[in-house]
Amino acid sequence: MSKRSLLLGAVAIATLSTPAHADTLREAFVAAYNTNPTLSGAQAAQRAEDENVPIAKADGRPNAGSQFGFQEDFLRNAISFTAPLRRVTASGDLSVPVYSGGRVKNAVRAAKTRVAAGQYDLRGTEASLFSNVVAAYMDVMRDEAVVRLNRANVGVLAVNLEATSDRFEIGDLTRTDVAQSESRLEVAKGELESARANLITSKENYIALVGQVPGELQSPPPLPNLPKAPDEAVDIALQFNPDLLAAKERSAATEFDIKRARGAVKPTVEAYMQGTYINFLNTLDRRDPDSPTNPLLGPRASQEQSNAEAGVRLTIPIYQGGRPAAQIRQAQARSGQAYEQVIATERNIIAQTRAAYSSWRASERVIQSSERAVAASALSLEGVRAENSVGNRTILDILNAEQELLNAQVQLVTARRNSYVAGFTLLAAMGRAEARDLGLDGGPLYDPQVNYDRVKNQFYDFQSDPNPEPKATRTVDTPAQTADIEPLPEQNERK
């Protein structure tokens, strides 16, 4: 029984390090990058942010328009002998902003700065998604290992109970020994069911993030470029963390907002041109031959009128009810808020980086301790079984030793999971866990600058893109996950 229990433990531990042909973490990254709705939605939001630049530029470009109308007079004053019965009108106007008090210029600058902030936000969304994928990936690996360990433990305790019952039948053990073995077996079965439920939860979380059912997951590759000290990690994070960079860009944009608001009290200059054409459709000339004094009301009138003009218009604001001052103060307050948000983001990043570093280092030490604990617990179990065979140990001692081995094994697989997740979280906080850092090979990476360069100078009113189609994949057709794991060979033999 000693060899069997050790073999079961070894098989369960091996599932974390040497699985069969399986999915890889890189494949999970690629699938999430190409199909996750959170990321594709953030990319669409950034494209919408790009459009604020040409929208701001439009206020500084020429504006042209035209109007057409038709008028029919059904009721007319009795003495209006020369009023037309109907008319057709056409007019057009063109205005060209010359000076707007800096409002257009600063609006464009603010929009460009917010585009830069949005691009940093998109990088942060990538890092957050990949961190969640790593956590989900490692959760599945951990929970599969824990299920196997608990299944192995149930098998060992079932063998113990069978052997204890046999020895009770021949009077070698008491009923108490049998009851202790039964109790431990039932507790182990309950823990196995809890482990199965946790595994199902982890698999469903994986599907929600990656968009596909996890297979036999391979061990992830070692994490590169982890810092040697927390201060080194913080220095890198303060330089490259995308959330902090985005907060700084948004703060800079609010300074342009203040300048734009100040432009409301400055003069504006625009050049303009406008023209009007009217055709009375031969209804303007009115004659009254029966009138004794005015048999003819003048010569036949012209049926068309037109005029055109051009000039420069200067507008000087004098009083606007206090609106400009309120808008300036509002922009200043929002700028102050943005400054505080930069500091708040910086604080959070420092705390997250230091905490992730501490968690990673602690998990590394726990792995070392757990590996020694597993080896010592396995050796202890073997010795307790040997001593029990000569009457120096009780059944309870064996049960306790088996439980200690299980606890050490679970602690080991949990520490391995925690170490990898904390290490990747640390890289994300340092700005080194984005798509460009991971070397994904699932096709070209999304570059937000491409769309921005495409639209930033667009000025044609009738140019638009096709209506979008969903990029993310749905998971409604994926099967409900289970935690069924094939029985180990020793269990088949006992059956």
Side-chain angles (χ1 to χ4, degrees):
M1 293 195 313
S2 170
K3 292 182 178 180
R4 283 184 176 180
S5 62
L6 291 175
L7 177 61
L8 292 174
V11 170
I13 288 294
T15 60
L16 276 184
S17 55
T18 57
H21 177 69
D23 297 339
T24 65
L25 182 58
R26 179 184 295 273
E27 292 171 346
F29 282 152
V30 171
Y33 186 79
N34 291 328
T35 67
N36 186 273
T38 300
L39 181 56
S40 58
Q43 292 169 352
Q46 180 59 26
R47 291 193 294 272
E49 185 69 40
D50 293 341
E51 300 296 343
N52 285 329
V53 174
I55 289 173
K57 288 181 177 180
D59 290 335
R61 290 170 175 162
N63 193 311
S66 61
Q67 293 181 345
F68 301 90
F70 173 79
Q71 178 178 324
E72 181 80 26
D73 294 335
F74 294 101
L75 182 62
R76 190 170 46 185
N77 194 308
I79 62 174
S80 298
F81 302 115
T82 59
L85 293 175
R86 62 186 64 89
R87 71 190 68 185
V88 173
T89 61
S91 63
D93 62 86
L94 170 68
S95 62
V96 181
V98 178
Y99 177 70
S100 60
R103 281 177 286 183
V104 174
K105 176 182 67 177
N106 288 297
V108 172
R109 289 176 176 176
K112 289 181 177 179
T113 306
R114 288 190 169 92
V115 166
Q119 292 180 355
Y120 286 127
D121 284 333
L122 188 57
R123 288 173 48 190
T125 301
E126 289 179 3
S128 177
L129 173 62
F130 292 141
S131 296
N132 291 334
V133 169
V134 167
Y137 189 97
M138 298 304 296
D139 285 347
V140 172
M141 290 191 65
R142 176 201 62 195
D143 293 339
E144 284 180 343
V146 171
V147 167
R148 290 189 175 95
L149 288 169
N150 279 277
R151 180 185 285 274
N153 188 48
V154 168
V156 171
L157 291 175
V159 172
N160 284 346
L161 177 58
E162 182 180 352
T164 302
S165 299
D166 292 341
R167 293 175 66 183
F168 170 72
E169 293 295 334
I170 62 176
D172 190 25
L173 295 176
T174 66
R175 181 60 187 170
T176 301
D177 296 320
V178 176
Q180 289 173 339
S181 296
E182 289 178 345
S183 174
R184 288 296 179 90
L185 177 59
E186 295 304 320
V187 170
K189 289 180 179 179
E191 292 176 348
L192 175 58
E193 292 304 317
S194 297
R196 282 175 169 166
N198 291 337
L199 176 56
I200 291 173
T201 300
S202 296
K203 286 183 175 181
E204 295 293 351
N205 290 338
Y206 180 95
I207 293 172
L209 288 168
V210 179
Q212 60 190 28
V213 176
E216 288 293 327
L217 304 183
Q218 293 183 3
S219 295
L223 294 174
N225 302 321
L226 289 170
K228 297 180 180 179
D231 290 341
E232 177 186 349
V234 169
D235 290 341
I236 296 174
L238 294 180
Q239 287 183 338
F240 301 108
N241 184 278
D243 294 332
L244 180 58
L245 296 175
K248 289 180 178 180
E249 291 292 340
R250 279 190 289 270
S251 178
T254 61
E255 297 178 0
F256 294 119
D257 291 339
I258 296 174
K259 295 178 180 179
R260 179 178 59 179
R262 293 187 186 280
V265 297
K266 296 180 180 179
T268 59
V269 179
E270 69 173 354
Y272 70 92
M273 179 184 296
Q274 61 187 28
T276 304
Y277 169 79
I278 303 176
N279 190 318
F280 299 107
L281 302 177
N282 295 321
T283 64
L284 182 60
D285 191 2
R286 296 286 294 151
R287 302 172 184 271
D288 189 1
D290 297 331
S291 173
T293 57
N294 292 310
L296 181 63
L297 296 181
R300 182 174 180 84
S302 173
Q303 300 299 316
E304 296 180 359
Q305 291 182 2
S306 60
N307 70 287
E309 60 184 51
V312 177
R313 183 182 294 115
L314 171 65
T315 303
I316 302 176
I318 297 176
Y319 178 68
Q320 303 176 56
R323 180 189 299 271
Q327 291 175 332
I328 293 171
R329 293 192 300 269
Q330 184 182 64
Q332 290 171 330
R334 287 176 176 168
S335 181
Q337 179 188 26
Y339 291 149
E340 302 302 326
Q341 288 175 341
V342 171
I343 297 175
T345 303
E346 183 182 75
R347 285 187 178 187
N348 290 335
I349 289 170
I350 292 173
Q352 291 171 6
T353 303
R354 290 172 176 171
Y357 182 89
S358 176
S359 179
W360 168 61
R361 294 300 299 166
S363 297
E364 288 292 299
R365 290 189 289 268
V366 172
I367 289 174
Q368 297 174 2
S369 298
S370 298
E371 288 174 344
R372 292 192 292 266
V374 169
S377 296
L379 182 62
S380 173
L381 176 59
E382 185 177 6
V384 169
R385 289 187 180 279
E387 293 174 9
N388 174 259
S389 64
V390 296
N392 292 335
R393 293 282 187 169
T394 66
I395 293 298
L396 182 60
D397 292 330
I398 295 176
L399 297 175
N400 289 338
E402 289 172 344
Q403 187 63 44
E404 289 177 359
L405 175 59
L406 174 64
N407 292 342
Q409 291 168 335
V410 171
Q411 185 179 34
L412 175 58
V413 298
T414 301
R416 286 174 174 170
R417 179 267 177 198
N418 292 344
S419 174
Y420 201 89
V421 172
F424 195 90
T425 302
L426 178 58
L427 290 177
M430 294 163 56
R432 292 179 172 176
E434 301 154 23
R436 61 182 184 176
D437 302 310
L438 301 177
L440 303 185
D441 52 5
L445 298 180
Y446 181 82
D447 184 0
Q449 189 65 29
V450 172
N451 182 75
Y452 173 70
D453 291 338
R454 179 179 69 92
V455 304
K456 65 181 180 180
N457 292 319
Q458 292 289 345
F459 60 88
Y460 185 50
D461 285 352
F462 301 98
Q463 183 174 4
S464 63
D465 295 336
N467 289 337
E469 296 291 338
K471 178 182 177 182
T473 57
R474 302 180 66 193
T475 60
V476 65
D477 294 329
T478 58
Q481 295 301 290
T482 63
D484 296 332
I485 297 178
E486 290 297 324
L488 295 173
E490 287 76 12
Q491 292 176 289
N492 287 331
E493 292 175 6
R494 288 191 292 271
K495 291 181 178 179

